[in-house]
Amino acid sequence: MLEYVYDDESDVPEGLENRTNEAIADSMSKSDAGDFAALNLQAGYHKSHHWDEEARHVTRLGEESQTVYLARWESGELKPWVDQGYYSWDLSSVRVNYKQLKSCAPLADAELTKQLAQLKAEEKRFDEENFVLPLIQTDGVWLGAGLDEKNKTVKTEYNEKIGLKLTFL
């Protein structure tokens, strides 16, 4: 059995053939799933034919993700990140690991809080599994704040080229 561990060319011991084949199949399946869901980083974020906005993708094998809708807070208005008509909110969405970012952090700005509540009431897509993340431009950078699964603050930064960056405090 030790020979097989260190020598890829030796035969698998008879009693381990089934488990070996199962492990190889599992590894190949996970690799294929990752290849299918992977973004082409050189192309940046854009719509792709194999991404289904209704599907629940995992960010790590076995970990659940959720949709976060990015909104700009500009001139006293909460707007979708991408303002392109009927599909603006869909085009302004990103998927994140639920454990790392589960909700928006409490907001200090009363007007922003009011507009966010109004938006949630008007748009049925914003529910327990999806939320709006308001981003405020500060020194040319779009910043926001969320909470992780343990209700600890997560600093967020959005950049159109690299996407959503999370910093755990």
Side-chain angles (χ1 to χ4, degrees), residues 44-63:
Y45 288 98
H46 64 85
K47 190 172 185 172
S48 172
H49 70 281
H50 69 266
W51 280 71
D52 177 3
E53 66 188 54
E54 299 299 321
R56 293 188 63 86
H57 297 287
V58 293
T59 54
R60 300 280 189 271
L61 289 174
E63 293 184 6

Side-chain angles (χ1 to χ4, degrees), residues 17-167:
E17 285 178 346
N18 285 345
R19 293 294 295 155
T20 300
N21 290 337
E22 288 172 9
I24 290 170
D26 184 54
S27 175
M28 291 174 74
S29 171
K30 289 177 180 175
S31 178
D32 287 346
D35 289 343
F36 179 77
L39 290 173
N40 177 351
L41 295 179
Q42 286 73 30
Y45 288 98
H46 64 85
K47 190 172 185 172
S48 172
H49 70 281
H50 69 266
W51 280 71
D52 177 3
E53 66 188 54
E54 299 299 321
R56 293 188 63 86
H57 297 287
V58 293
T59 54
R60 300 280 189 271
L61 289 174
E63 293 184 6
E64 197 168 330
S65 63
Q66 70 176 1
T67 302
V68 174
Y69 295 93
L70 305 177
R72 299 175 194 252
W73 179 241
E74 294 180 304
S75 305
E77 286 188 64
L78 200 53
K79 303 174 186 175
W81 183 265
V82 177
D83 193 8
Q84 291 186 2
Y86 184 77
Y87 295 103
S88 293
W89 285 113
D90 295 319
L91 295 171
S92 300
S93 67
V94 295
R95 299 289 294 178
V96 297
N97 181 313
Y98 176 81
K99 291 180 179 180
Q100 294 178 337
L101 188 62
K102 72 165 188 154
S103 64
C104 179
L107 301 168
D109 185 315
E111 184 59 29
L112 175 54
T113 302
K114 178 182 168 187
Q115 285 212 15
L116 184 57
Q118 182 178 345
L119 180 62
K120 286 180 186 179
E122 293 171 358
E123 285 283 341
K124 61 184 174 186
R125 76 181 73 222
F126 307 132
D127 56 23
E128 294 80 35
E129 293 183 11
N130 310 300
F131 67 93
V132 177
L133 180 65
L135 298 168
I136 301 169
Q137 191 172 38
T138 307
D139 298 326
V141 179
W142 290 93
L143 302 173
L147 299 174
D148 67 9
E149 72 170 345
K150 295 178 182 174
N151 290 323
K152 292 189 178 181
T153 301
V154 178
K155 177 182 163 190
T156 64
E157 177 182 333
Y158 187 75
N159 174 301
E160 289 181 344
K161 182 71 175 161
I162 63 170
L164 186 64
K165 178 182 171 184
L166 306 177
T167 304

